[in-house]
Amino acid sequence: MTMRAYCVTSHDAPPAIERIARPRPGPGQIGIKIHACGLNFADLLMMSGRYQDTPALPFTLGLELSGVVDSLGEGASGPAPGTRVAVYGGQGGLADYGCFDAARAVALPDSLSHEAAAAFQIAYGTSHLALTRRARLQPGETLLVLGAAGGVGLTAVEIGAAMGARVIACARGKDKLEAARAAGAHELIDSETDDIRETCKALGGADVVYDPVGGDQFTAAFRACRPEARILTIGFASGDVPRIPANHLLVKNLTVMGLYWGGYLTFAPELLTRSLAELLTWADEGRIAPRAHHVYPLDQAADALELLRARKSTGKVVVTMA
C-alpha cells in the first residue's frame, strides 16, 4: 500500500510529492493517520542540508503534526487507536501516514482542532520554555518580542501577556503589528520605520528580550536593555548571527541565553512533556488560543514553504492532508 509524502531526495533540488510505501510501526511506535502538519523555518534549512538535525536522504519533511492513532507497534501501550494526538517527530509530517515514538505523542483536548494542534507544539513550546524556565519572566516586567508576528513571535506575545508581563511587540508593517496587538501586545514598534533601540528605551527599556530574528534587530534590542535584562536567542531568521560584546554584558549585568526546543528531547524530555501539558490546559481553559494562520493542502506545500521563506506569513503556516 502506498501513500503521498513530500520528499527531499537531494539538497540541490526542490522537494516533491512522491508515492512511497506506507510505513508500519516498529517496537515502541504508533502509526498515525496524519491530518495536518505545521511548517517551521527548520524545514527550509533541512531542504538545503543546513539544519543541525537534518535526516539522511531521502526523507519526508515536516517536524510536527497532528492526527489520529490507527495502529500500535510491539510494546507500545498507547495512546490507543482512535486517539487524537499531536507529535513532534523531527521529520515525516508532510505525508498521509507516519510512525513515531509513542512517548512523543500528546493527547489532544476536544477543543483543539487538528490544524491548531499542528501549529502548537514547537511555537508555543519554545516560547513557554524560553519565558518560564530560561528567562523566568515575572509579572510586571517588560518583554520585548522581535519578529512578533512570526510563528513563534506571536506565541511569545500571547504567553508573555498571559504571564502578566508588559509586552512590546516589534514587527514589520501595520498588519503584522495589529496581529501582535490582537495577541496581547501592549506597545508596538514598526521595524520598517521605527528606531527599535530609541523607541524601546523611550518606553522604559526591556527586562527580557525574545529574539528569533538576530542581526541588526538583536543589536538594537541589546542596547535597549535595562540592567540585569535577560536576552533569549531563539533563532536567526534574518540570516545574520550577531556578535555579542562581552564588555557590555559586564557593564549592564546582562545575560544572553539560547533556547533550542528540540534539544530538550535528548537531555530532559520530561520538561517538554510538562510544558506541553500545561499549555494544553491553558488552551482548554481559554488562556491561550492556538490556531493555524495560513492553511494549505499538501499539493500546495511548495507555496506554503515559500510563504515562510519570504517572511510574508503572519503566525503559523500549516499543511493539511485533505
Side-chain angles (χ1 to χ4, degrees):
M1 186 179 297
T2 63
M3 68 175 189
R4 299 172 303 161
Y6 195 61
C7 297
V8 177
T9 56
S10 168
H11 295 309
D12 299 317
I17 296 177
E18 308 278 354
R19 299 293 309 191
I20 65 173
R22 177 179 164 181
R24 298 297 178 188
Q29 290 188 324
I30 54 174
I32 295 177
K33 178 175 174 53
I34 299 171
H35 285 242
C37 176
L39 298 188
N40 294 274
F41 191 73
D43 290 302
L44 299 175
L45 298 177
M46 279 189 180
M47 288 163 55
S48 58
R50 294 182 293 129
Y51 189 58
Q52 61 263 29
D53 289 330
T54 299
L57 294 170
F59 65 90
T60 300
L61 281 173
L63 280 75
E64 57 180 332
L65 60 105
S66 67
V68 176
V69 178
D70 73 347
S71 55
L72 300 179
E74 182 181 353
S77 58
T83 305
R84 300 170 67 251
V85 296
V87 174
Y88 175 81
Q91 61 171 304
L94 287 173
D96 290 319
Y97 294 88
C99 297
F100 308 94
D101 289 347
R104 294 194 179 189
V106 292
L108 300 175
D110 293 340
S111 59
L112 206 61
S113 70
H114 280 295
E115 291 80 9
F120 175 77
Q121 291 183 97
I122 295 176
Y124 278 91
T126 293
S127 294
H128 185 260
L129 271 186
L131 295 175
T132 61
R133 180 175 176 82
R134 300 293 281 141
R136 302 192 185 280
L137 179 68
Q138 300 300 308
E141 289 191 314
T142 296
L143 167 66
L144 171 62
V145 180
L146 304 179
V152 294
L154 271 181
T155 66
V157 170
E158 190 175 1
I159 290 173
M163 292 176 65
R166 172 178 176 245
V167 181
I168 303 173
C170 178
R172 183 185 303 172
K174 180 180 178 181
D175 290 346
K176 291 190 174 185
L177 287 170
E178 285 305 313
R181 187 193 299 278
H186 303 91
E187 308 285 351
L188 305 174
I189 298 176
D190 191 330
S191 60
E192 282 189 322
T193 59
D194 295 334
D195 184 313
I196 296 173
R197 175 190 179 187
E198 293 304 321
T199 305
C200 184
K201 287 180 68 176
L203 292 169
D207 297 300
V208 175
V209 175
Y210 183 100
D211 179 21
V213 179
D216 291 341
Q217 291 195 29
F218 173 93
T219 302
F222 185 93
R223 292 174 176 171
C225 283
R226 302 179 65 189
E228 292 196 325
R230 292 87 75 199
I231 305 170
L232 291 156
T233 56
I234 305 299
F236 311 103
S238 67
D240 182 358
V241 178
R243 295 180 180 274
I244 300 170
N247 58 321
H248 290 189
L249 296 178
L250 183 152
V251 171
K252 294 182 72 174
N253 292 292
L254 302 180
T255 301
V256 179
M257 58 191 75
L259 190 287
Y260 168 42
W261 185 84
Y264 281 88
L265 287 167
T266 63
F267 67 88
E270 70 282 358
L271 293 179
L272 293 190
T273 301
R274 290 203 298 266
S275 171
L276 290 173
E278 182 172 15
L279 285 166
L280 287 170
T281 298
W282 286 12
D284 204 32
E285 293 173 349
R287 293 183 61 187
I288 56 174
R291 66 187 183 93
H293 296 78
H294 308 271
V295 180
Y296 289 78
L298 181 60
D299 60 9
Q300 294 179 26
D303 295 331
L305 286 163
E306 182 55 33
L307 187 70
L308 201 62
R309 186 199 309 277
R311 297 177 64 185
K312 293 182 178 179
S313 61
T314 298
K316 194 74 172 183
V317 182
V318 169
V319 171
T320 64
M321 305 311 131

